[in-house]
């Protein structure tokens, strides 16, 4: 039996993972706050502003994962025609995607996120403006989310619901929370997960 050598994507997995986790933290610290400040010029309700940003983050991961799956199917179909090894077809596909991430149609994902946000019943926006004002944040989140799908295992954001039990392992409380409250009133930022294990805590507001 011929042993398949690991592809370049797998060999660089640890370093790419570290960079992407760091980038996710940078987006939280910088682009998220920029988007918050921008939204505050249109919306006085801080809770609504934070809900909008949280939903933008979750929807960005969803759109990027869908785009990645479609991209991977197209790459696999193309490469399978002439594939002969020595790497497995899956490793060859992954290597190709990692080398050609610039072919990802990020604008298509940004448009998809804004469409989803426009019909989300939990958030509202003054009619004279559009969620496109935070497209910089959405674009950066889509990019990092797409790249996180090339990791083995891939990274994803946690699913959160209003009223869920607060978890110390999953979230930080925001400074304006009721620190004695047991339930999450709403989410500020999603937790980052790897195989159902939290690797970066999210942020929530807890209230009685």
């Amino acid at each position: 039996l011929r042993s398949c050598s690991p592809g370049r994507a797998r060999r660089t997995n640890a370093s790419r993972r570290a960079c992407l986790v760091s980038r996710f933290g940078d987006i939280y610290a910088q682009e998220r706050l920029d988007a918050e400040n921008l939204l505050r010029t249109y919306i006085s309700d801080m809770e609504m502003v934070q809900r909008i940003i949280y939903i933008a983050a979750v929807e960005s991961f969803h759109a990027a994962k869908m785009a990645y799956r479609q991209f991977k199917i197209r790459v696999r179909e193309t490469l399978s025609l002439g594939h002969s090894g020595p790497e497995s077809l899956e490793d060859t596909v992954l290597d190709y995607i990692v080398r050609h991430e610039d072919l990802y149609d990020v604008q298509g994902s940004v448009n998809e996120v804004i469409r989803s946000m426009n019909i989300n019943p939990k958030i509202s926006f003054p009619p004279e403006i559009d969620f496109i004002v935070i497209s910089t944040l959405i674009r950066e989140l889509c990019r990092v989310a797409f790249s996180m799908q090339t990791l083995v295992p891939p990274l994803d954001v946690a699913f959160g619901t209003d009223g869920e039990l607060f978890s110390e392992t999953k979230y930080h409380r925001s400074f304006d929370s009721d620190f004695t409250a047991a339930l999450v009133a709403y989410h500020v930022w999603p937790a980052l997960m790897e195989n159902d294990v939290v690797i970066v805590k999210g942020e929530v507001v807890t209230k009685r």
Side-chain angles (χ1 to χ4, degrees), residues 54-95:
Y54 172 76
I55 287 169
V58 172
E59 291 291 351
S60 294
F61 267 78
H62 179 70
K65 284 190 298 178
M66 292 291 289
Y68 178 80
R69 280 200 284 271
Q70 291 160 3
F71 190 66
K72 190 175 182 182
I73 288 166
R74 290 198 305 274
V75 171
R76 189 190 287 117
E77 283 173 355
T78 304
L79 295 183
S80 64
L81 300 173
H83 179 73
S84 59
E87 295 173 359
S88 68
L89 178 59
E90 278 305 300
D91 275 358
T92 305
V93 167
L94 195 57
D95 284 354

Side-chain angles (χ1 to χ4, degrees), residues 41-123:
T41 62
Y42 303 106
I43 305 168
S44 57
D45 179 8
M46 188 59 174
E47 178 179 330
M48 183 55 70
V49 165
Q50 291 180 323
R51 281 182 181 275
I52 287 169
I53 289 172
Y54 172 76
I55 287 169
V58 172
E59 291 291 351
S60 294
F61 267 78
H62 179 70
K65 284 190 298 178
M66 292 291 289
Y68 178 80
R69 280 200 284 271
Q70 291 160 3
F71 190 66
K72 190 175 182 182
I73 288 166
R74 290 198 305 274
V75 171
R76 189 190 287 117
E77 283 173 355
T78 304
L79 295 183
S80 64
L81 300 173
H83 179 73
S84 59
E87 295 173 359
S88 68
L89 178 59
E90 278 305 300
D91 275 358
T92 305
V93 167
L94 195 57
D95 284 354
Y96 180 92
I97 296 171
V98 168
R99 282 200 309 272
H100 297 91
E101 281 187 51
D102 57 316
L103 297 178
Y104 164 43
D105 175 19
V106 69
Q107 188 57 47
S109 290
V110 171
N111 297 342
E112 194 57 47
V113 171
I114 291 170
R115 263 197 298 277
S116 298
M117 292 176 73
N118 281 330
I119 58 170
N120 191 304
K122 285 189 177 178
I123 51 176

Side-chain angles (χ1 to χ4, degrees), residues 21 24-25 28 32 53-55 57-58 61 65 141 144-145 148-149 154-161 164 166-173 184 186-204:
V21 171
F24 184 76
Y28 168 79
R32 177 185 69 93
I53 289 172
Y54 172 76
I55 287 169
V58 172
F61 267 78
K65 284 190 298 178
L141 282 164
V144 83
M148 283 177 173
Q149 304 318 298
L155 304 185
D156 198 2
V157 288
F159 177 73
T161 54
E164 69 178 286
F166 173 75
S167 164
E168 287 279 1
T169 58
K170 200 170 176 183
Y171 303 118
H172 297 291
R173 280 184 169 97
V184 172
Y186 65 93
H187 298 74
V188 176
W189 194 249
L192 190 65
M193 313 285 286
E194 182 180 66
N195 279 348
D196 298 326
V197 176
V198 177
I199 56 172
V200 179
K201 285 186 183 184
E203 184 181 337
V204 296

